[in-house]
Amino acid sequence: MHIRDKLAEAERTQRPMFSFEFFPPKTAQGVQNLYDRMDRMHDLGPSFIDVTWGAGGRLSHLTCEMVNVAQTVYGLETCMHLTCTDMEKEKVDDALKEAYKAGCTNILALRGDPPREKEKWTAVEGGFRYAKDLIKYIKEKYGDHFDIGVAGYPEGCEDQQDPEILMNHLMEKVDAGGTFIVTQMFYDVDIFLSWVAKCRAKGITVPIVPGIMPIQTHAAFLRRANWSNCHIPQNWSDALDPVKNDDAVVREIGKGLVAEMCRKILDAGIMHLHFYTMNLAQATRMVLEDLGMASHDGTPSKKALPWRQSLGLNRREEDVRPIFWKNRNKSYVVRTQDWDEFPNGRWGDSRSPAFGELDAYGIGLKGTNEQNIKLWGEPRSIRDVANIFTRFLNDELKSLPWSESPISSEANAIKPELIDLNHRGFLTINSQPSVNGARSSDPTFGWGPRGGYVYQKAYLELLISPQLITELISRMRKDPNITYYAVNKAGDLRTNAANDGPNAVTWGVFPGKEIVQPTIVETISFLAWKDEAFRLGSDWARCHPVSSPSRHLIDSIMENWYLVNIVHNDFHQTHGIFPLFDGLEVKDINRSSEAVTNGVHEHGNHITNGTIGTHNQAIPERPRN
């Protein structure tokens, strides 16, 4: 979506919006940390983000990568900076192609700063001298595909302080095709508002977006103000100078000063704020919370679908996904990135027949061995593993190998039952409670346009010991409302599903639209998820030394247990799944993994591979290989 359209919506509705700027980090670890932060800051609800271009284009490949990840994986509408500095036309063409392929539809066209080794800015041979020339070239090559923003300088820029000349340059950039203006940072709101009035008097009518720099520390505050030559109001200095050595107090006072500045901007009728985050979250979040513009529970205030949409090329209309990747959005996007079409309306033959390989970047377990051992400890028994899952359900852990994000608030409706299952040795990976007509504006279950109602069937996905799989399947077969799939690592699939087609587990009814069914369960996707799920468990095991009890224990679970998903098709029943497990519990749940040899439990003289009875007996419903 074009930024000019987002700005027009904010103006029309008089509902303030905001956006964030990020820049490419210098190290690989810094890049990963920033992706994690972008993921978290997505939930604050920015209308878009922008990603800066490295001076001279040296970090251009990383800028393009970040734009691609932000658009496709995190579903963030992204504006890519593009500068003239050291950029001949061939490099500009490459950058625009990468942005286009990523689904990016917004560019901030800049002349750029001179490379660090040069004192004055000069155009490269075959390149562009001014931003207006770059704008004209983009329009010539791509027409209206890209919405093009330009920079504005309320207090002058490094090599030009004459306000009249700068105003003329701004007018030229707008005349060349710029549709919105993002300003340099400032702290004196009166100077900014006076400059906006001069722009309007000049005949510049496109939206003006103020650049807001939150205050992290006193030293950084002064350094950035000096770098941009912006005026610091005396009352700001009076408030911050006495506490300059206390970063926490500086942030707290700075939050109030910046928030008050933002209120004056909003009161003047400018409905969008652009935050220069400096790749940090806290100071920006504090300002947004002070303004009442941030989500309080860490979830976006408005969701078009129950899962985070990708904005990659050809994916904007995608509105159907399997539930299995509910907590691993990035992995699903990576594994389907080569599909020619993406399901919308209904999950049908338009999808690609194959999911991507498991060795693609971003699919495996995150974190180092040391980090994961510190996070999840060194379990020695099924009880220890179950306690890890219970801690996750109690929000004491922020992730599991199968879930990259914390437990969601919708789980509160069934949390006691989930905890009870784990206490008895059933390891719950994914779930959702049934919902019978919640409003689309409901803060926990709502999604989609206002005025609608959403529904969902109860769903549970868990790892089950082979001790209990036969008994559980027998119980599920007797309940006509239950649909299930059970599969082990070797691919022994058992199901009572009537066919391989999709079973919608989430749907919505909205004014003026046909029923939307965005989340499904179906066979091919479950088998693809099965491979990934067992791979993640094996990755977890390999965080531990080869001879350690923890590794033997986790490997044993991965080699022998079943991955099971259960749907209760009567969405009126809130707790219809849980009675299936009445009276069932994993035996020897407290047994230490020292008693495990090559994944085999010894029960006296009878070796059962962790089973009771003959779980490999034929089950008549629909066994498959």
Side-chain angles (χ1 to χ4, degrees), residues 143-154:
D144 291 330
H145 174 79
F146 290 111
D147 195 21
I148 304 175
V150 300
Y153 301 93

Side-chain angles (χ1 to χ4, degrees), residues 151-154 163 166-168 170-171 174 181 183 191-208:
Y153 301 93
L166 284 172
M167 189 66 71
N168 290 334
L170 182 60
M171 189 72 176
V174 171
I181 299 165
T183 77
I191 291 177
F192 165 73
L193 294 176
S194 174
W195 178 81
V196 170
K198 293 175 182 176
C199 289
R200 300 313 184 207
K202 184 75 172 179
I204 297 173
T205 60
V206 299
I208 295 175

Side-chain angles (χ1 to χ4, degrees), residues 130-142:
Y130 298 115
K132 65 179 181 180
D133 302 321
L134 178 59
I135 295 167
K136 291 175 182 177
Y137 184 75
I138 296 171
K139 298 291 288 184
E140 177 185 318
K141 296 280 287 188
Y142 286 89

Side-chain angles (χ1 to χ4, degrees), residues 353-374:
F355 285 80
E357 296 299 322
L358 293 176
D359 56 359
Y361 177 77
I363 293 178
L365 189 66
K366 292 175 62 176
T368 65
N369 292 351
E370 293 76 12
Q371 289 170 337
N372 290 330
I373 290 173
K374 182 177 180 181

